[in-house]
Every structure is written in C-alpha cells, then in structure tokens.
Amino acid sequence: MAAELAAGVGWAPACLCVLCGLPAAGKSTLSRTVCSTAAMRGWRSTVVPYDDLIPEHAFQARVSGEDGKLQEMHTEWRLHRQAVLQCIEQFLKKPEMLAVPPTGSSCQINSAAWERCIQALLKPETSDYSQADRAPLVFLLDDNFYYPSMRYEVFQLARKYSLGFCQVYLQCDLESCISRNQSRSEPIPSEVILEMAKRMETPNPQKNSWETNSILLNTTENIPTCDMVMELISAALNNPLSPVEDNMEQKEADRQKCANSVVHQADQTCRRLISEAIKTARESQVRPDRMRSLATQLNESKARFLHNLRKQFLQEVPFSEEDIDVERVVKRAVDVFDNDKNELLLRIINDHS
C-alpha cells in the first residue's frame, strides 16, 4: 500500500502533524507560520481545520445537551471526524479527486472547505497533480484533539500508509484562552472551553508509546517560533511509520478484553457508590419501603449504565488496554453514574421529609 501511495501521488515523504490544545491556544496562528516556513523549504503543506470542515450542527450536538457529559462520544460527531480522515486518505490514494466526499459516508464534510485545503497543495501555475514534484507533503490537522483516542485515529492512518506522524500540544492557561476567545469576531461560549479543559488529556509518551514524536509549546504569553515544530516534522518525514499487519481477530479480542476491564472496574466503583447512598439514606431515616425502592432503582440504573458503557466503549475506543489509561476512563464514565445516583438519593430523601 505504501508503494502504491508513493507511485500514485508522486511525492517523496508525507507527514500528518496533529496540532492539539484548547480553543484560542494559538493553533491556527502557528499553522500559518508553519505553512509559510514549509513553503520556503520547498515543502507542500496544508491546514486541515476541523471547525471549518465539520458542519456546525454536529459541533452543537457535541457541546450541548441536558447533562453536558461525554457529548464528544456521540456517534454522529465521531463519524464526522472520521469523514475528515477519510478525505485525507482518499486524496492520498487518488489526488485527482479534489473535494469529492468519501463514497458511502453518511456524515459529509464541507466540500468547499476541503477544496481550499487541497488547493493549498497546488503549484500556483497548475492544477494538475500529475505535474507535482516529489516535494515533502505535510498535513497540519488543526483541532482540539483532547482525548488520546482522537489522536490515535490519525496515528493509525499514518501507520496504514507509512507516513510520518507527530504531535504538537499548545499549552496555554485557561484564562488566556478565554480572554483571546472573547476578542474573536465569533467567540465560542466560555463554558465550552471550561468543559474542554476538564477533559484535555495531553500527549503522554510515557503511557502511550505511539505519542513519542510529540512536543509541548507554551503559548500563554505568545506563539513561539516554529523552529521546534519544523524540526519535529522533518524528523517525522525522515522516519515514517511502519505498517502493521491487520489482524482483525486479535484486534477484536483486545477490544473485548479492554471493555471487560473497564466494565469490571466501573461495576466495582458503582457498587461502592450504591452502598454509600444506602448508608446515607438509612442515616436520614428513610422509611423501609422507600429504602427498597432506592436500592431497586440504583441497581437498575447501574445495570443500564454498565450495558451502555460496554456498548459505547466497543464502538468508540479504537485500541487495546495497553494503549489507554483504564483507570481514568473508568473515573470519567462513573462520574456520570455518580451524578445520577446523587439526584435519585436527593429526591428520595426530599420525598421522605
């Protein structure tokens, strides 16, 4: 497949560079500087702005909701993100298909925005890819990428086609991000940034070996020069990933094992939370019939929660137990159950009083 890519596209090395961080951390500013510097080096580069490519209604579905919890795991939002990667993949295989969305994709991206991405790769004097030289090709993926699973999907695409892969995390304090966002012509709600800050999981090469080729830039005061980024991309171009054999059976076994571990640990934590709730109700002198009702509702809620957690986990998480922080995943998920438990307990106690 890598040989077919090289023959079909006509470039030498290619790299997928993930730019991640909070909104207004400086990703767009940095990407423009990188593209300008890349052009001076004779590289072809383009920015892949997820906010422009993914329809606004999908973004709203992700950041809004009754509880505001784990909205990014909605299937529709994930399909839109996958559609962006599918367009990159389609271009790598058939560069002449400019802004045509992937066949069969139910969640399309903004074709005009995608065409602008591809136009940036063309020589000013031609729109014929057959005349493209073998200059290095760099895709700068501009998004928040706050969960490792989001970044891992990009890594998988790079590995599939033996591309370079690297990550740049723009670290900016929350107050600066909110202040910069408010000065924009179309600011996003501050609560969105606050919620995203709670979920942000920075690249961690010690825990995830696939995140080794990552750097952190502090952008609180200003956007630093792109020298480190250019060195990172250059190293990635010179050291493309090696594709791995696609063993679907082993992948499925690993996913099931990981799901079992997550659900088991979540079950243990939920049992403890239920015991604490029963104790609190007993201390509040809730009458026996209401106690039985509380226990029944909590156990039914736990069963539904664990069932949905397993189903959602198998659908959303693309890698095995060795690649993720199971403890953190469990804690984030159980927080949702804990909130539901507290609401039910408070209702029972108030009804009793």
Side-chain angles (χ1 to χ4, degrees):
M1 183 63 75
E4 294 175 3
L5 172 63
V9 180
W11 329 97
C15 174
L16 302 182
C17 177
V18 169
L19 303 180
C20 55
L22 293 176
K27 298 183 294 297
S28 298
T29 300
L30 177 64
S31 64
R32 289 192 293 269
T33 304
V34 170
C35 284
S36 177
T37 305
M40 290 189 290
R41 293 193 180 193
W43 296 356
R44 296 178 182 271
S45 63
T46 189
V47 181
V48 182
Y50 277 57
D51 283 351
D52 294 341
L53 291 166
I54 296 177
E56 180 67 18
H57 72 83
F59 176 77
Q60 292 297 333
R62 177 176 65 91
V63 301
S64 63
E66 294 181 358
D67 57 8
K69 298 289 186 178
L70 302 178
Q71 295 297 322
E72 74 288 347
M73 297 186 76
H74 280 180
T75 300
E76 182 185 0
W77 173 246
R78 186 166 186 264
L79 289 176
H80 279 293
R81 297 181 61 84
Q82 288 178 336
V84 175
L85 296 182
Q86 287 168 1
C87 280
I88 295 176
E89 181 174 14
Q90 179 172 272
F91 169 76
L92 292 171
K93 294 190 294 185
K94 298 180 179 180
E96 69 278 4
M97 298 182 68
L98 296 178
V100 180
T103 303
S105 175
S106 60
C107 293
Q108 302 296 349
I109 65 173
N110 186 309
S111 295
W114 175 245
E115 186 171 5
R116 288 194 295 271
C117 294
I118 299 307
Q119 289 295 332
L121 299 172
L122 297 175
K123 291 183 177 180
E125 68 276 9
T126 181
S127 60
D128 184 0
Y129 282 97
S130 65
Q131 300 180 32
D133 58 22
R134 295 185 59 79
L137 172 63
V138 179
F139 285 92
L140 300 169
L141 281 69
D142 178 356
D143 191 36
N144 308 117
F145 287 107
Y146 41 90
Y147 284 162
S149 58
M150 298 174 174
R151 306 190 293 267
Y152 188 77
E153 290 180 334
V154 182
F155 171 82
Q156 287 180 309
L157 178 60
R159 185 171 60 180
K160 179 178 180 180
Y161 291 99
S162 294
L163 309 179
F165 173 78
C166 59
Q167 299 182 137
V168 180
Y169 172 61
L170 282 69
Q171 184 180 57
C172 183
D173 69 56
L174 190 56
E175 292 75 13
S176 296
C177 287
I178 292 176
S179 176
R180 292 176 188 173
N181 172 67
Q182 290 174 342
S183 66
R184 290 175 167 177
S185 58
E186 297 183 4
I188 64 175
S190 296
E191 54 267 24
V192 173
I193 301 179
L194 291 169
E195 183 64 27
M196 200 172 293
K198 297 176 184 177
R199 304 174 184 178
M200 180 65 69
E201 298 184 32
T202 63
N204 188 343
Q206 287 71 39
K207 184 173 294 292
N208 303 320
S209 59
W210 56 272
E211 295 194 288
T212 298
N213 203 22
S214 305
I215 60 172
L216 181 151
L217 296 180
N218 191 319
T219 60
T220 296
E221 297 297 330
N222 49 55
I223 308 300
T225 62
C226 65
D227 294 346
M228 290 180 60
V229 179
M230 299 306 294
E231 291 179 8
L232 179 74
I233 294 174
S234 180
L237 288 167
N238 292 325
N239 298 276
L241 302 176
S242 299
V244 295
E245 188 172 336
D246 191 11
N247 187 335
M248 295 304 296
E249 291 185 2
Q250 184 60 48
K251 282 185 177 180
E252 184 58 27
D254 290 343
R255 285 160 60 83
Q256 291 290 344
K257 177 183 176 183
C258 190
N260 290 341
S261 177
V262 168
V263 172
H264 172 72
Q265 293 189 37
D267 182 40
Q268 296 300 309
T269 304
C270 288
R271 289 174 183 270
R272 176 178 56 79
L273 293 173
I274 289 175
S275 296
E276 293 174 357
I278 296 297
K279 180 180 178 182
T280 300
R282 186 176 294 115
E283 292 173 348
S284 300
Q285 297 183 338
V286 173
R287 64 178 187 264
D289 62 318
R290 299 297 288 164
M291 288 287 293
R292 288 192 295 272
S293 175
L294 173 63
T296 298
Q297 292 183 64
L298 285 174
N299 281 298
E300 290 176 349
S301 177
K302 176 174 75 74
R304 286 193 302 271
F305 166 74
L306 295 176
H307 172 77
N308 291 334
L309 177 62
R310 174 184 291 278
K311 180 179 178 181
Q312 195 173 53
F313 191 84
L314 289 174
Q315 290 176 344
E316 304 292 340
V317 179
F319 40 89
S320 66
E321 188 173 1
E322 295 179 355
D323 296 312
I324 69 170
D325 187 341
V326 172
E327 183 178 348
R328 188 164 187 172
V329 170
V330 170
K331 183 182 183 304
R332 192 167 60 226
V334 171
D335 281 346
V336 178
F337 175 80
D338 193 25
N339 287 337
D340 293 342
K341 178 266 296 180
N342 289 336
E343 291 179 5
L344 176 59
L345 177 62
L346 184 61
R347 187 164 63 248
I348 291 288
I349 292 177
N350 288 339
D351 288 347
H352 174 75
S353 58

